[in-house]
Amino acid sequence: GNSVTQMEGPVTLSEEAFLTINCTYTATGYPSLFWYVQYPGEGLQLLLKATKADDKGSNKGFEATYRKETTSFHLEKGSVQVSDSAVYFCALSDNAGNMLTFGGGTRLMVKP
Amino acid sequence: DAGITQSPRYKITETGRQVTLMCHQTWSHSYMFWYRQDLGHGLRLIYYSAAADITDKGEVPDGYVVSRSKTENFPLTLESATRSQTSVYFCASSDVPRTSGYEQYFGPGTRLTVT
């Protein structure tokens, strides 16, 4: 079956530091890949997505590239802010697009 | 209000009681989903629905019942609550996946504690 593995957190960074959160996946076929973000006390929001190999998703300074050869979709940001503190989830969709499989989530804490 | 809402936001109940968590969306999305979020497990799908009167099991359906008589509502019932069902429950909705880019929109969650 499908699965998503994320690096365990928490990840603690100083403001303006470079962020990488690793995500690898196992899936049959050609899934779409997503990063969702969950701010404290809220539901999940879509941060970015990529629907085919070599696509780059980007939003709010975050980027992730769909790497089929390494089955990875690592999240990066060049300069994090305190407001980026949240839990980040990597996810993939099944071939029919009906269901998402989530990774365990990575908590990011950014200190001023 | 437009969007997806859940009620109650917080609930404490006793073992063995029946509990229903409500989910309402105003977008007329075809698909609706229920997830539970637990430390160390991320989000796990409980049930989903492709349309009114069509539901199907997800990864962890045991102990839960759903119904969908109207497109906009998707209640989740715990028929006899157990402590292992203490969790945060999220409802989500999505348009027909192939036309929406598979994006799901999440509600704010219900924190359920079973004592």
Side-chain angles (χ1 to χ4, degrees), chain B residues 31-45:
Chain B
Y31 280 78
M32 295 188 74
F33 308 83
W34 275 107
Y35 295 90
R36 57 178 292 173
Q37 183 180 28
D38 305 291
L39 281 175
H41 291 281
L43 274 80
R44 291 180 292 176
L45 183 66

Side-chain angles (χ1 to χ4, degrees), chain B residues 64-81:
Chain B
Y64 303 95
V65 174
V66 293
S67 62
R68 194 162 176 213
S69 57
K70 294 183 178 181
T71 299
E72 62 267 29
N73 296 326
F74 191 38
L76 176 74
T77 297
L78 289 65
E79 293 190 300
S80 178

Side-chain angles (χ1 to χ4, degrees), chain A residues 55-103:
Chain A
D55 267 3
K56 177 185 283 187
S58 61
N59 186 27
K60 299 181 181 180
F62 291 89
E63 293 183 341
T65 301
Y66 188 164
R67 300 287 189 200
K68 189 166 178 62
E69 64 276 13
T70 55
T71 62
S72 65
F73 193 55
H74 305 322
L75 181 68
E76 297 182 335
K77 187 176 185 182
S79 176
V80 294
Q81 305 300 312
V82 173
S83 57
D84 293 327
S85 298
V87 181
Y88 292 82
F89 291 91
C90 186
L92 64 82
S93 68
D94 64 3
N95 290 336
N98 294 336
M99 292 187 287
L100 293 175
T101 299
F102 286 88

